[in-house]
Amino acid sequence: MAKKIILTGGAGFIGSCFLSKLNQEGESNIFVVDELGCDLKWKNLVNKKFIDYFEKNDFIGDLASKIKAKDIKAIFHIGACSSTTENNASFLIKNNYEYSKALAKFALDNDIDFYYASSAAVYGNGSFGYSDDDIATLKLRPLNMYGYSKLIFDQWVITNKLTNNFTGFRYFNVYGPNEYHKEDMRSMVVKAYEQIKKDKKIKLFKSYMPEYKDGEQKRDFIYIRDVVNLMYQFYEKNNVKGIFNIGTGIARTWNDLAKAIFKSLNLELNIEYIDMPNILKEKYQYFTQADLTKLKKSGIKYTPTGIEEGVKDYVNYLNTDSFI
């Protein structure tokens, strides 16, 4: 009997796109784990191939009663609370840290390949750089509790000398289809698309640092297609372990992103710069750029998609209201 894959967060943005990638590659023996709730996230599972679905809290309670460890070849733990404004630290520790540890220990005890989602939020204001080197990771200072919940799991992996056993994906600013359910945590591409359809303009935050003009704050924007292709390569090779930045390695401005969106819609650029909410001012990342040194040395093949091409492709999806 063919061995199976566990995919947490399988109905979410990155998880559902990776589920689609697995299906495209002929993988369908998959247990999907998520928390569907009352929104429309369930639509991300339509037309996908998998053998069973579990709600996340029910699943983690007694793994042995639901699956046979000997039947599992890989766990992709992509599920998490990804809200950067979530202030319930206890919830984030339980949901993002303790849950991750439980799955990691299960994988370790049963010799199962374990892949998990980290985040560029661990880098905070970038004062310690953007290197995914293990020594650098131990020094990082996130700006929000979400970033901290991701960092302490990375640090748990490192301090327990598990980087030769597990593979962590430190996602930068991912955008693409299947994120519609994420509300405020959706990418600026889909938010801007909706703003343009309604008001013919995009709203961007003003800058509160003199070294950055309005809209010139920079982020490392990576298209979801690149993300899932990279994840699948790690899965295929399965001997490349450690924590890796998943970005393009090239920081672009919000103004660049806005121009790409308007161009994709064949409209003239129209940007309104608005005040940033006070809750974000002290936690806002003005610059992120993935250091891809480790990724380039890994043997993983990768040519990043530029935002002009990625945004154009995504806008095509938005125009047809379709899903991956």
Side-chain angles (χ1 to χ4, degrees):
M1 181 181 292
K3 287 201 170 188
K4 303 170 179 66
I5 295 170
I6 295 172
L7 173 61
T8 74
F13 170 33
I14 295 175
S16 65
C17 290
F18 186 60
L19 177 57
S20 180
K21 174 66 176 177
L22 288 171
N23 287 172
Q24 289 168 17
E25 298 294 340
E27 298 271 6
S28 59
N29 287 328
I30 303 164
F31 292 120
V32 171
V33 182
D34 210 307
E35 185 176 38
L36 293 182
C38 298
D39 61 26
L40 297 177
K41 187 163 60 170
W42 63 269
K43 286 188 174 184
N44 284 343
L45 293 178
V46 175
N47 295 326
K48 305 294 194 305
K49 296 178 181 178
F50 52 93
I51 53 176
D52 208 348
Y53 171 84
F54 299 98
E55 282 285 300
K56 70 169 190 179
N57 290 332
D58 297 333
F59 182 74
I60 202 69
D62 185 7
L63 280 171
S65 69
K66 298 175 178 66
I67 58 172
K68 295 179 181 179
K70 65 181 179 63
D71 293 338
I72 305 300
K73 61 181 175 180
I75 296 174
F76 281 87
H77 179 39
I78 312 302
C81 171
S82 59
S83 174
T84 57
T85 58
E86 176 60 62
N87 291 319
N88 187 333
S90 294
F91 166 72
L92 286 169
I93 289 297
K94 182 177 181 180
N95 192 77
N96 291 3
Y97 179 57
E98 296 293 347
Y99 201 104
S100 299
K101 281 200 302 180
L103 279 178
K105 289 175 180 177
F106 178 80
L108 191 65
D109 291 344
N110 294 285
D111 195 27
I112 298 170
D113 289 330
F114 183 72
Y115 307 84
Y116 73 93
S118 182
S119 169
V122 301
Y123 291 113
N125 64 11
S127 59
F128 290 93
Y130 296 90
S131 170
D132 47 14
D133 180 79
D134 291 349
I135 294 176
T137 295
L138 298 175
K139 302 175 183 177
L140 297 177
R141 298 289 184 272
L143 293 173
N144 54 53
M145 186 57 212
Y146 163 70
Y148 182 67
S149 72
K150 288 296 188 179
L151 177 62
I152 57 172
F153 184 69
D154 283 348
Q155 292 179 337
W156 179 84
V157 170
I158 293 167
T159 55
N160 285 280
K161 304 186 188 310
L162 296 173
T163 51
N164 289 326
N165 300 84
F166 301 155
T167 304
F169 303 119
R170 196 169 280 170
Y171 303 121
F172 277 67
N173 282 68
V174 187
Y175 65 96
N178 293 19
E179 62 168 328
Y180 59 90
H181 62 281
K182 290 170 64 68
E183 298 182 346
D184 285 345
M185 293 300 109
R186 295 175 300 164
S187 74
M188 188 59 204
V189 181
V190 67
K191 290 180 181 178
Y193 176 88
E194 292 173 353
Q195 289 174 15
I196 292 169
K197 290 292 184 180
K198 182 176 181 288
D199 301 318
K200 306 299 182 186
K201 65 182 177 182
I202 288 177
K203 295 180 180 181
L204 297 178
F205 289 139
K206 295 176 182 177
S207 171
Y208 296 86
M209 294 182 67
E211 56 266 48
Y212 293 94
K213 295 180 180 179
D214 291 341
E216 293 297 301
Q217 307 97 317
K218 291 185 174 182
R219 296 291 178 88
D220 191 332
F221 302 103
I222 179 170
Y223 193 38
I224 187 63
R225 180 177 60 199
D226 291 350
V227 172
V228 298
N229 286 343
L230 283 170
M231 290 169 63
Y232 190 77
Q233 281 195 70
F234 276 100
Y235 168 62
E236 269 193 315
K237 288 183 179 293
N238 100 324
N239 62 338
V240 182
K241 306 296 183 183
I243 301 169
F244 292 86
N245 283 333
I246 304 295
T248 66
I250 303 171
R252 300 290 299 271
T253 69
W254 290 107
N255 287 335
D256 288 338
L257 188 71
K259 291 173 185 176
I261 299 168
F262 275 101
K263 184 177 180 180
S264 295
L265 292 168
N266 296 313
L267 295 172
E268 289 189 12
L269 185 67
N270 185 8
I271 302 174
E272 177 186 352
Y273 298 104
I274 62 172
D275 294 333
M276 187 182 296
N278 289 330
I279 192 173
L280 291 180
K281 284 183 180 179
E282 294 182 359
K283 303 175 181 178
Y284 188 79
Q285 289 177 301
Y286 276 76
F287 178 90
T288 65
Q289 181 172 281
D291 181 339
L292 300 183
T293 302
K294 189 192 294 188
L295 182 64
K296 290 175 180 177
K297 292 179 179 178
S298 70
I300 299 293
K301 296 179 181 178
Y302 177 41
T303 301
T305 301
I307 60 171
E308 289 77 14
E309 179 185 346
V311 165
K312 183 178 180 180
D313 191 64
Y314 187 14
V315 167
N316 286 337
Y317 277 97
L318 293 172
N319 279 333
T320 57
D321 193 30
S322 58
F323 306 89
I324 286 181

